[in-house]
Amino acid sequence: MPEILAKVIRGETIESVHRGHLIVVDGEGKTIAQIGEPETVTFWRSAAKSFQILPCILSGAADAFGFSEQEIAIGCASHSGEDFHTKTVQRMLDKIGLSESDLRCGAHPSFNKETAESMIRERETPTQLNNNCSGKHAAMLAFAKHTGADLESYLSNENSVQQAILEIISRFTGISKGDIKFGVDGCSAPNFGVPISSMAKAFSNLTNPRTFSDIGIENACLRIVAAQMKYPEYVGGSVRLDTKIMKALEGKLICKVGAEGVWCAGVLPSEKWKNGLGIAIKIEDGDDGRARPVAAIELLRQLGIMTDKAENVLGEFSPIVLKNRMETIVGKVVADIKT
């Protein structure tokens, strides 16, 4: 059963609770902490993007088209659709020799409030470049073109692009391909239902890939991790949770949100965690705005990963202060995690 991960308190009284599951594993597969039922199967959503770009790196497509570290980072991103995001994805498409119309992710307004309001004032219509998944799709198209796969159907489960991604998902999670559940993501790409524990295992493998004894996979993982740590603003945006965490804990981890209350992280090997860590959280009710941040930050505290510098930046996320319309503090959202 799920357990309480966050409480919403008004005054001194608990008003609401958010339940869920979490697990932390080390690089040897040992469970460091768990709450709820980590074997629960749910969709990985956008937290799977680091693995969806891996075939593009492994195949040589990223090198063939000269992708920069920023472009690799945005291939792992749920970006905010800010100007520097859309220009980066456009450069990727230019290098591939394709255009915005070749994307199949659909359009939506920028996640960044200032950018979205500016576009409204200027009467600019959002394009597929503004889609938070456009970088991932550009990387899929690069892989398709480099390997001769059909470009029109690159999102089909039967297309070799998606088959290669499925192979990677299976290898990193340890779940056989036949046991992986399928769904269609918000951007129309296939997505994967796997146990929450397998998500944590995959992130542990990503940040400590020596377990594969495969130099090609190891180098590809190192490139993906390095790109995200160096350019965290390309993974999220100016004010996004993942970006703030990776900046505040520079060089210590990568992390990625997924829709419906998913959050995953890979902690690099350190003095305390010599084989690194893989972390996965799922908020049962799908809350993205209050339960996920307070749980994620508090878990990092209890694992000894937070620093004084990070507290100054991230403390506002855990606990979250609640104010009324007169800007009076009336409550807070707090984590209820004991590892």
Side-chain angles (χ1 to χ4, degrees), residues 10-312:
R10 186 172 296 271
E12 300 298 326
T13 303
I14 297 172
E15 185 172 35
S16 303
V17 297
H18 295 284
R19 293 181 170 86
H21 316 274
L22 71 77
I23 185 168
V24 182
V25 300
D26 69 10
E28 295 181 339
K30 178 184 176 182
T31 298
I32 303 301
Q34 70 174 60
I35 297 175
E37 180 43 73
E39 296 310 307
T40 299
V41 174
T42 190
F43 283 101
W44 213 347
R45 302 300 297 268
S46 285
K49 285 178 177 174
S50 290
F51 307 96
Q52 289 170 296
I53 196 178
L54 260 169
C56 180
I57 309 292
L58 288 167
S59 67
D63 289 332
F65 294 115
F67 285 169
S68 66
E69 284 188 290
Q70 293 99 321
E71 289 158 353
I72 290 173
I74 209 164
C76 307
S78 295
H79 65 76
S80 295
E82 297 170 69
D83 188 53
F84 69 95
H85 294 133
T86 58
K87 287 181 178 179
T88 301
V89 178
Q90 183 61 63
R91 283 197 301 271
M92 293 174 75
L93 292 171
D94 291 342
K95 290 177 178 181
I96 303 166
L98 298 175
S99 66
E100 181 267 348
S101 63
D102 291 299
L103 298 170
R104 296 288 182 269
C105 54
H108 64 65
S110 168
F111 287 168
N112 181 272
K113 181 181 178 182
E114 288 74 18
T115 302
E117 290 177 348
S118 174
M119 291 180 71
I120 291 171
R121 287 194 299 270
E122 299 298 325
R123 299 186 178 181
E124 295 180 25
T125 302
T127 72
Q128 293 186 99
L129 296 175
N130 294 102
N131 188 302
N132 72 102
C133 299
S134 61
K136 175 183 78 175
H137 282 251
M140 289 179 179
L141 282 170
F143 175 58
K145 189 163 185 182
H146 183 67
T147 58
D150 182 65
L151 296 176
E152 289 285 333
S153 64
Y154 76 93
L155 294 182
S156 168
N157 282 338
E158 289 71 40
N159 192 290
S160 59
V161 172
Q162 300 305 326
Q163 287 297 306
I165 291 171
L166 177 60
E167 182 67 38
I168 288 292
I169 297 296
S170 175
R171 189 165 185 183
F172 275 75
T173 60
I175 305 297
S176 66
K177 290 187 286 186
D179 290 332
I180 294 172
K181 308 300 182 184
F182 284 96
V184 179
D185 215 335
C187 65
S188 297
N191 203 253
F192 317 97
V194 296
I196 296 161
S197 60
S198 297
M199 300 178 193
K201 177 181 179 180
F203 268 81
S204 174
N205 286 333
L206 180 65
T207 51
N208 187 16
R210 289 173 293 180
T211 54
F212 289 111
S213 299
D214 183 322
I215 192 64
I217 285 183
E218 183 174 345
N219 287 338
C221 289
L222 292 174
R223 288 179 68 181
I224 288 169
V225 170
Q228 292 181 69
M229 289 196 300
K230 189 173 181 179
Y231 296 103
E233 65 275 15
Y234 284 80
V235 179
S238 300
V239 294
R240 298 284 293 284
L241 179 65
D242 288 331
T243 298
K244 284 181 172 287
I245 291 174
M246 286 190 280
K247 280 187 171 182
L249 292 168
E250 184 179 3
K252 292 181 178 293
L253 56 73
I254 61 167
C255 57
K256 186 70 187 69
V257 298
E260 297 298 323
V262 173
W263 185 76
C264 294
V267 178
L268 275 68
S270 64
E271 184 176 349
K272 181 172 184 178
W273 305 110
K274 298 193 182 302
N275 295 302
L277 297 173
I279 300 170
I281 296 175
K282 166 67 178 181
I283 307 300
E284 188 188 40
D285 62 14
D287 178 80
D288 291 333
R290 56 188 194 181
R292 179 169 63 191
V294 299
I297 300 304
E298 179 58 26
L299 181 58
L300 293 176
R301 284 191 187 108
Q302 294 190 23
L303 292 170
I305 296 166
M306 290 285 282
T307 63
D308 291 341
K309 173 187 173 184
E311 283 289 355
N312 290 334

